[in-house]
Amino acid sequence: MRSIKKHLGRALAPLVYRQGWSLVPPSRGAAWPEHKFLISFLRRYAVDCVLDVGANVGQFGNELRMLGFRGRIISFEPDPSCFEELELCARSDGNWHAVNLALGDADGSATFNIMATRVFNSFLTPTTREASDYQKHNVIKEVVTVEIRRLDEIFQDLAKRFGFSRPFLKMDTQGFDIRVFNGAAGVRHLLVGLKSELSVKRLYEDVPDWTEVIRLYDQAGFELSGMFSVHPEKDRLIEMDCYFKPKRDLAP
């Protein structure tokens, strides 16, 4: 029955998407306002490719499909274990491609922390100084070495291979977003929007203050378009999904 519901949801999703509505599983109902905003953003700016950086096991890609987005998804995930699940998820979708590497501000390799709960995987060291909510989950279980590439070094090859022209950059890299953004310096002018997860309460060492990150995006030509709590069930703000659009004209 669960499989039937999943396939039915995906079949109905494009119709829902075209109307600007949201088809959200009951368990994610609290995120509905953000889903409605995301649908509107993707439609308004005619996004034809989502660069899904920090894909984990494909949660965001699956949400995009459930919301009715049928454009290209290119998901980047460095953790070998998560990547196996991500690749299986993407393999059944002819317009979803999985890439086993991290994006950052320099080509090379680095150690990557695998946490007790994998959604907290990060290049950075966890801390509980400002928030102890996830101390059992956000603790290092093992360390692996992963490959890192700058987005502006691989962007043209991706665009040529997949034929997109209006990409949206989604970043959810547990404190590493600004490094990803800096590594996209040569292609930022081609982005029609971006999403960045920012911490109000730091969960990792050496994470810049969220207000500083917003200023950096603004100075690079992206203005704040929407903000949503990552944990709407909590009574305090820990992390935010922040959406930005370029200050330039985005008419298709």
Side-chain angles (χ1 to χ4, degrees), residues 81-120:
S81 176
C82 284
F83 181 76
E84 286 184 11
E85 296 182 43
L86 171 66
E87 191 173 35
L88 284 174
C89 189
R91 190 178 297 166
S92 62
D93 184 319
N95 216 22
W96 187 352
H97 184 70
V99 183
N100 189 199
L101 58 80
L103 297 185
D105 56 1
D107 290 348
S109 62
T111 55
F112 187 66
N113 299 317
I114 309 301
M115 306 301 184
T117 298
R118 294 181 298 176
V119 293
F120 293 100

Side-chain angles (χ1 to χ4, degrees), residues 24-251:
V24 182
S27 61
R28 295 302 306 274
W32 180 81
E34 181 176 354
H35 284 151
K36 184 176 181 180
F37 176 90
L38 178 56
I39 291 170
S40 177
F41 194 104
L42 297 175
R43 292 175 69 243
R44 181 183 299 121
Y45 300 121
V47 172
D48 62 359
C49 178
V50 173
L51 302 171
D52 174 22
V53 184
N56 204 252
V57 297
Q59 296 94 323
F60 189 71
N62 276 319
E63 287 187 7
L64 288 175
R65 292 304 189 226
M66 185 60 69
L67 293 172
F69 177 73
R70 286 293 174 265
R72 177 73 61 180
I73 301 173
I74 305 176
S75 293
F76 300 87
E77 173 54 45
D79 174 21
S81 176
C82 284
F83 181 76
E84 286 184 11
E85 296 182 43
L86 171 66
E87 191 173 35
L88 284 174
C89 189
R91 190 178 297 166
S92 62
D93 184 319
N95 216 22
W96 187 352
H97 184 70
V99 183
N100 189 199
L101 58 80
L103 297 185
D105 56 1
D107 290 348
S109 62
T111 55
F112 187 66
N113 299 317
I114 309 301
M115 306 301 184
T117 298
R118 294 181 298 176
V119 293
F120 293 100
N121 291 353
S122 176
F123 285 105
L124 306 181
T125 302
T127 179
T128 59
R129 284 201 313 272
E130 296 184 16
S132 60
D133 305 62
Y134 308 107
Q135 60 183 347
K136 293 182 180 179
H137 304 278
N138 193 21
V139 58
I140 299 173
K141 183 178 69 173
E142 63 176 309
V143 175
V144 297
T145 299
V146 301
E147 181 184 0
I148 305 176
R149 297 291 303 278
R150 289 179 60 96
L151 179 59
D152 55 15
E153 290 294 327
I154 62 175
F155 183 91
Q156 294 303 331
D157 287 341
L158 293 172
K160 182 178 180 180
R161 178 178 177 185
F162 296 115
F164 59 82
S165 60
R166 299 183 65 81
F168 175 88
L169 176 61
K170 167 264 180 183
M171 297 175 288
D172 182 356
T173 60
Q174 302 305 304
F176 210 67
D177 286 13
I178 199 64
R179 302 280 192 92
V180 176
F181 185 72
N182 288 340
V187 294
R188 290 174 189 163
H189 63 288
L190 300 174
L191 301 174
V192 296
L194 62 89
K195 172 188 175 182
S196 180
E197 184 181 81
L198 303 183
S199 296
V200 176
K201 302 294 184 181
R202 289 183 177 88
L203 301 181
Y204 303 90
E205 301 285 359
D206 302 319
V207 175
D209 182 82
W210 64 277
T211 59
E212 177 186 344
V213 177
I214 289 177
R215 282 196 296 272
L216 289 172
Y217 289 146
D218 184 78
Q219 291 167 2
F222 291 83
E223 61 181 323
L224 189 61
S225 183
M227 303 172 71
F228 302 89
S229 174
V230 174
H231 313 283
E233 75 282 359
K234 291 187 174 293
D235 61 358
R236 64 190 183 123
L237 193 56
I238 298 175
E239 297 174 291
M240 299 180 296
D241 284 336
C242 297
Y243 292 80
F244 299 81
K245 72 178 189 67
K247 297 177 183 180
R248 68 180 191 275
D249 182 19
L250 288 177

